[in-house]
Amino acid sequence: MTIKEIASMIDISAVRAESTWNEIEDILRATAKYPFICVFSMPGMIDRILPYRNEIPNLRIGGIVGFPSGGETLEAKLFEARQMKEKGCDEVDMVLNIGKLKSGMLDEVKAEIEQIKAVVSPLPLKVIMEVVLLTDEEITAASKIIRDAGAAFVKTGTGWAGATTEHHIEVIKAAVGDTIPLKVAGGVRSLDTLLKMRDMGVSRFGIGYKSALGIMREAEERGWL
């Protein structure tokens, strides 16, 4: 693979509660060098990022909804989703209602995704299930709900709760195969991990900015162009 191909699989992010504007500026400078798919920040920083579209032709901006808990009211999530679209985001990642999923309220979980998808359409909606908080049975159910609700991607986590493992990927793939693309977030901190997960069928990665830049440096050190 080339460095460009690696970068084109990565959503680079600074979405911790303590993420600073200086860190986001680092991401923006990196995106001017590497063609990362999307830049993600906490919602309060979106307005500061938008003007950089004038300087970085390939800049795509992601918005997050219900992040990181997923437990907000539907009305709150719909407002946030609408706001992210109206501000000019190119993609939206939402956290499904984890508590309702674990309570077996599967119809409500699906209906929420469908309503948020309708609000952000035609933007792609990626839906986060937070695999480290779920049993294999819950991961299977969530994967099918996300697919059947019409989301663009199943996403494993926020990166706040812990790392996605190869086992998590295997469970998701057993549930939905290649019928919906898979985005992994949480714990991808090396080029070798990214490549192994790509070979398992992962097509997108959400990676914190320090790890993402470290992966790009690894690729350069290996002589990739």
Side-chain angles (χ1 to χ4, degrees), residues 28-225:
L28 292 167
R29 283 190 290 268
T31 302
K33 180 178 180 181
Y34 305 112
F36 295 116
I37 299 179
C38 218
V39 167
F40 279 83
S41 71
M42 296 299 279
M45 293 290 192
I46 294 289
D47 287 340
R48 286 178 169 269
I49 295 173
L50 288 167
Y52 281 79
R53 282 187 167 141
N54 297 324
E55 302 174 26
I56 307 171
N58 62 309
L59 179 62
R60 289 173 56 81
I61 300 168
I64 53 179
V65 171
F67 194 95
S69 75
E72 296 81 359
T73 63
L74 172 60
E75 292 79 7
K77 284 183 169 178
L78 288 170
F79 176 84
E80 194 171 22
R82 190 174 296 111
Q83 188 179 50
M84 293 297 97
K85 181 181 179 181
E86 290 175 353
K87 282 185 176 295
C89 289
D90 299 290
E91 300 186 2
V92 173
D93 287 21
M94 67 164 283
V95 185
L96 59 70
N97 194 306
I98 299 164
K100 286 187 175 181
L101 175 72
K102 294 183 73 67
S103 300
M105 302 172 184
L106 305 186
D107 289 343
E108 292 185 38
V109 172
K110 182 181 178 185
E112 178 183 88
I113 296 168
E114 291 173 335
Q115 291 183 63
I116 293 173
K117 179 180 183 294
V119 165
V120 303
S121 182
L123 305 182
L125 176 67
K126 303 193 284 296
V127 180
I128 302 165
M129 67 173 84
E130 205 69 282
V131 289
V132 298
L133 303 181
L134 307 178
T135 65
D136 288 359
E137 292 74 19
E138 290 163 347
I139 292 171
T140 296
S143 300
K144 293 178 179 179
I145 288 168
I146 293 167
R147 177 195 62 191
D148 295 345
F153 278 81
V154 171
K155 183 177 173 184
T156 59
T158 60
W160 283 50
T164 299
T165 67
E166 293 174 22
H167 176 71
H168 294 138
I169 295 170
E170 290 168 351
V171 173
I172 293 169
K173 284 296 183 179
V176 296
D178 296 327
T179 59
I180 181 171
L182 173 58
K183 176 180 174 179
V184 164
V188 182
R189 298 188 178 92
S190 72
L191 179 57
D192 286 340
T193 299
L194 182 149
L195 293 174
K196 187 167 188 179
M197 289 184 172
R198 179 208 58 174
D199 291 343
M200 296 178 71
V202 179
S203 54
R204 186 86 73 94
F205 295 88
I207 305 179
Y209 86 103
K210 289 181 180 177
S211 295
L213 296 181
I215 287 169
M216 302 314 295
R217 285 193 295 271
E218 281 189 75
E220 290 173 337
E221 287 167 1
R222 294 185 191 187
W224 293 13
L225 302 174

